[in-house]
Amino acid sequence: MSASSVDLRAVRARRLSALRARLASAGVDGLLLSHGADLPWLTGYRAMPLERLTMLVVLPEADPVLVVPELEAPRVAAEEAQVTLAPWSEGADPVELVVDLLRRGPWPPGRLAVSDRAWAVDLLRLQARLPEVQWLAASAVTGPLRAVKDEAEVEALAGAAAAADEVARAIQAGEVPLRGRSEAAVAEEVGRRLREAGHQAVNFAIVASGPNAASPHHEPGGRVLETGDTVVLDFGGTWARPGDVGYCSDITRTVVLGRASAEVREAYAVLEAAQAAARAAVRPGVTAGSVDRAARGVIEDAGYGRWFIHRTGHGIGVEEHEEPYITAGSEVVLEPGHVFSVEPGIYLPGRFGMRLEDIVAVRPEGRADLNQAPRGLVELDG
C-alpha cells in the first residue's frame, strides 16, 4: 500500500462507523471529543490547545458536528474531516451549543463520554448543565479501536520508524559528534536530523550520559560527554503522509564513548538478550503481560531485576504512548494491528544506565520489527 493509495476519507468513515457501534454496545449516548489524539485520529483535524472550547459531538445516528471557535474554522477541512462545522463567535456560549446538539440524540442522555484531555473547566460547565448524566472517559470507547491499527496506520508507523532508523544509524556510525559536546547540544542535533529524515515534528530527544543515563526520562542538560560514558539516546517525532494527521516514532540506542568496561558489556549482553526474548514472544493470542515477563525474566535471572524500573513497552500511534501497555500482569490479548515498543532497561543509580527500544507490530503470522537499526552495543571514538 503506497501513500497515494490510502483513501483517508474511507478510513475515517470506517472509524466513525466503528465508534458508533462501540457507543451502542457500551450504552453510551454520545461522544464529546476535544483536545487530545482522538479528534485528529477520527477527523484529521488537530485542535490547537486554546482556552476556547473545541468539541466534536458524535451521536449514535446524527452526523458529527464540530463546535469550533470561529477564528479556528478556516483550519478545518470539513469535507475531508467529514463533519459539519458549528463555528462560535466571541461572546457566545459554546457549552450551550454542545448541549443543543446533544438534543439530536437520546434525550435526556444517560451516559456521555468526553475526551480524556478535555479542559476541566469545560467538563465542569457541561456537568453543571447536565447534572444527571453519568460521565466516562472517551478512551473507554476509543481506546480499543485506536489500539488496533489498520493497514494504513501500520504503514505510516513503519515510515516513521524507518525515518528514525536513519538518525540512529548516523549516531552509531559516528556521524553525530558526541565527545566534548553537551547533552543539550547533541539533543538539538538529533532533533534536527529527525526533521531532515522526514519528521514534521520532534516530540522528544533524550540524551543521557554517564550517571545521568540511570534516569530513564533524563532532561538533556549541560553535562559534557566524555570518554568512558555510557550514553542513552531515546528520540522520536511525528511523521505524516500528505493529508494525514501524523504517526509517531520512538527508538532508543545506547552507545559507549571509547571502550566499554567489562561490567557495561555484561549488562548490555543481558539487555540485548532480554529485548530479543520479548520480541520473540510477540504474536497473536499472547498477553501483553507475557511479553513483559519474557524481558523481565532474563534481566531478573542475571541479577539486574531491581534495576529494571519501568514497563517493557507502550502502544504507539497518533500519540507516543497509547494502548496497549506492555506491563507486568496485563491480561490484554495481543492481536494483529497492535503496535508497541519493546524497551527493557537497566539503570544503576549514580553510575550508568542503558536501554534498547524498537517498535514492533503484531501480524497474523507473528510480528514485524518496524525498526531495523543495529541493536548491538556500539563503541565510538568521537
Side-chain angles (χ1 to χ4, degrees), residues 191-276:
R192 176 178 59 78
R193 285 177 177 265
L194 278 171
R195 290 185 179 277
E196 290 173 352
H199 286 73
Q200 281 72 38
V202 177
N203 297 334
F204 58 93
I206 296 172
V207 178
S209 63
N212 292 340
S215 172
H217 285 173
H218 174 68
E219 183 73 23
R223 186 183 186 279
V224 174
L225 281 63
E226 57 189 35
T227 299
D229 280 350
T230 299
V231 186
V232 174
L233 300 108
D234 180 354
F235 50 90
T238 299
W239 182 95
R241 297 168 297 207
D244 205 356
V245 66
Y247 285 79
C248 295
S249 65
D250 190 355
I251 187 171
T252 307
R253 292 295 184 264
T254 299
V255 302
V256 176
L257 297 187
R259 293 285 292 173
S261 69
E263 183 181 22
V264 167
R265 286 175 177 273
E266 176 187 294
Y268 195 86
V270 172
L271 180 68
E272 193 173 4
Q275 205 233 23

Side-chain angles (χ1 to χ4, degrees), residues 3-4 16 28 148 177 189 199 223 253 276 281 316:
S4 60
L16 177 60
V28 178
V148 180
E189 178 167 349
H199 286 73
R223 186 183 186 279
R253 292 295 184 264
I316 191 168

Side-chain angles (χ1 to χ4, degrees), residues 40-291:
W41 171 78
L42 182 60
T43 68
Y45 170 64
R46 193 180 293 273
M48 292 183 67
L50 304 173
E51 73 283 2
R52 301 175 175 91
L53 182 140
T54 295
M55 190 161 282
L56 179 70
V57 180
V58 181
L59 299 173
E61 297 183 5
D63 291 338
V65 177
L66 181 62
V67 176
V68 62
E70 190 173 35
L71 78 169
E72 273 288 288
R75 293 185 60 238
V76 185
E79 183 177 345
E80 288 299 313
Q82 299 179 75
V83 300
T84 299
L85 282 188
W88 60 274
S89 58
E90 299 290 343
D93 186 346
V95 170
E96 286 301 320
L97 181 52
V98 170
V99 172
D100 287 343
L101 289 169
L102 286 170
R103 293 180 182 276
R104 303 177 311 150
W107 189 265
R111 303 178 77 210
L112 293 173
V114 64
S115 288
D116 297 32
R117 298 184 184 177
W119 297 136
V121 66
D122 294 330
L123 176 56
L124 289 170
R125 292 190 63 206
L126 284 165
Q127 289 175 325
R129 273 296 277 111
L130 301 166
E132 302 303 318
V133 165
Q134 177 187 352
W135 295 90
L136 64 154
S139 56
V141 178
T142 61
L145 295 176
R146 282 181 48 201
V148 180
K149 273 60 181 180
D150 57 36
E151 285 302 306
E153 290 181 295
V154 174
E155 181 195 56
L157 287 162
D165 277 346
E166 288 186 35
V167 182
R169 287 192 176 100
I171 293 167
Q172 293 172 317
E175 297 171 11
V176 179
L178 299 179
R179 183 185 285 106
R181 301 178 76 190
S182 70
E183 294 171 338
V186 175
E188 183 178 359
E189 178 167 349
V190 168
R192 176 178 59 78
R193 285 177 177 265
L194 278 171
R195 290 185 179 277
E196 290 173 352
H199 286 73
Q200 281 72 38
V202 177
N203 297 334
F204 58 93
I206 296 172
V207 178
S209 63
N212 292 340
S215 172
H217 285 173
H218 174 68
E219 183 73 23
R223 186 183 186 279
V224 174
L225 281 63
E226 57 189 35
T227 299
D229 280 350
T230 299
V231 186
V232 174
L233 300 108
D234 180 354
F235 50 90
T238 299
W239 182 95
R241 297 168 297 207
D244 205 356
V245 66
Y247 285 79
C248 295
S249 65
D250 190 355
I251 187 171
T252 307
R253 292 295 184 264
T254 299
V255 302
V256 176
L257 297 187
R259 293 285 292 173
S261 69
E263 183 181 22
V264 167
R265 286 175 177 273
E266 176 187 294
Y268 195 86
V270 172
L271 180 68
E272 193 173 4
Q275 205 233 23
R279 287 189 293 111
V282 175
R283 60 184 180 277
V286 306
T287 64
S290 69
V291 177

Side-chain angles (χ1 to χ4, degrees), residues 303-315:
Y304 292 99
R306 63 179 297 198
W307 309 124
F308 180 14
I309 58 176
H310 54 71
R311 63 195 173 204
T312 292
H314 56 81

